[in-house]
Amino acid sequence: MGLKIGKIALGTAGLLLGLLLGEGLLGFVEPQVHRRPRLWEFDAELGWRHIPGAAGEMVTPEFELDIAINGDGLRDRDYARTRIPGSWRLLAFGDSFVEGWGVPLESSVSKRLEVELQEQGGDRAVEVINFGVAGYGTDQELLFFEKQGRLYRPDDVLIFFYGNDLWNNGVRRGIGAERGYKPYFRLDREGMLKLAGVPVKKTPAWDPEWQARQPWQFRLERYLHRHWHLFALLGKALAGEEVKSKQRQQFYEGLYGRDAAGEMRSLWELTGHLLNAFVDRVERAGARPLVVYVPSIVQIEEEDWKTKRELFGLVGEFDLDKPNKRLAAFATQYGFRFLDLAPAFRERARTTTLFLRDSHWNEAGHALAGERIAAFLEEERAVQEERDE
């Protein structure tokens, strides 16, 4: 009997040792864990927002990063609502690209732009305030500007647009990590924007107390998924990759494909109206709007696009500049300033890697975006000075 128990104990110890070695090796060679700190909370008007004063460490297979939120709920330093006399204040609205996913605050596009403009402006104080929130579309950004951004009395407002904003603008729930309900707009018969979905319905996922009340099995699974690479890998294997692959296929075909049936037409129409409304609200607040197109990794890295075509079975004709062209057409139609970052990114990508593997900008990508926007604004200033002479 004792010999049998000893064998069981030895076998169990061997199994545990093997699991620990496998966990360590996987964490070193191919990390799997994603762990988001509690930096976001439910908001009845916006769907979700940053928690003022929150801080924590974000962990992904590519980076570990400390993130802090200021007292006004922005991933930024604290800024007074009242501007410094004679200063130049810009606000940057967008999703996780603007928020600075995967990079330190000082390496984010808003801070890189601030440095570039300060160098151009000499003694004039420059402030570029980061209003980016992960998962936001143009609709939530517009509402965020109305609720909070306009109170900062900016000179310029940058409206960043990334491809998945097209879907964000058309759905009632977040499509990224933020899966809760959100406000949304629809066009009425006269083509006017009508806000719906407010007050936003709160889902249990936003309630930490609800999570704490769940059975121990739920909490254990959540812990293992957030801290153990082997468990996270197993979860991916059982998560229905075929369904995810189909969703990605539909995403790329909808954004860059021919859309012969016109299924995307209504989303683009809604997005055009949202951008026009955002521009109008900014101008009413006495500021100058600038719409900035954020290129995707498939538009910049040929090998990445080739890989995704094979991985998701993408066949037929694709125009990778389709979103850029749509926004340029809206700029002409509605008469707003527009900057497409894709040409600059394609040129720099010949010698420099600009993206993380999760498709967000790395530090070099943020630096290039700040550099290009600063150059665009400087060119505008020079043209205006010539006109004034």
Side-chain angles (χ1 to χ4, degrees), residues 68-141:
I69 307 301
N70 72 12
D72 279 345
L74 308 176
R75 191 199 173 196
D76 211 328
R77 305 188 292 267
D78 286 308
Y79 290 90
R81 295 287 177 88
T82 303
R83 293 191 312 173
I84 301 171
S87 66
W88 184 8
R89 173 170 283 183
L90 304 90
L91 310 184
F93 283 82
D95 58 12
S96 51
F97 278 85
V98 177
E99 187 184 64
W101 183 274
V103 301
L105 172 62
E106 296 308 315
S107 297
S108 67
V109 60
S110 59
K111 300 301 105 180
R112 295 303 305 166
L113 175 60
E114 189 174 83
V115 170
E116 293 279 349
L117 293 178
Q118 189 64 72
E119 291 177 353
Q120 291 179 6
D123 295 334
R124 185 186 187 187
V126 178
E127 298 173 328
V128 183
I129 306 177
N130 182 4
F131 274 79
V133 180
Y136 271 17
T138 313
D139 50 4
Q140 288 163 292
E141 293 160 17

Side-chain angles (χ1 to χ4, degrees), residues 221-234:
E221 180 180 347
R222 181 178 175 84
Y223 174 84
L224 291 173
H225 187 79
R226 289 162 56 89
H227 293 86
W228 282 75
H229 300 280
L230 284 171
F231 193 86
L233 181 62
L234 179 61

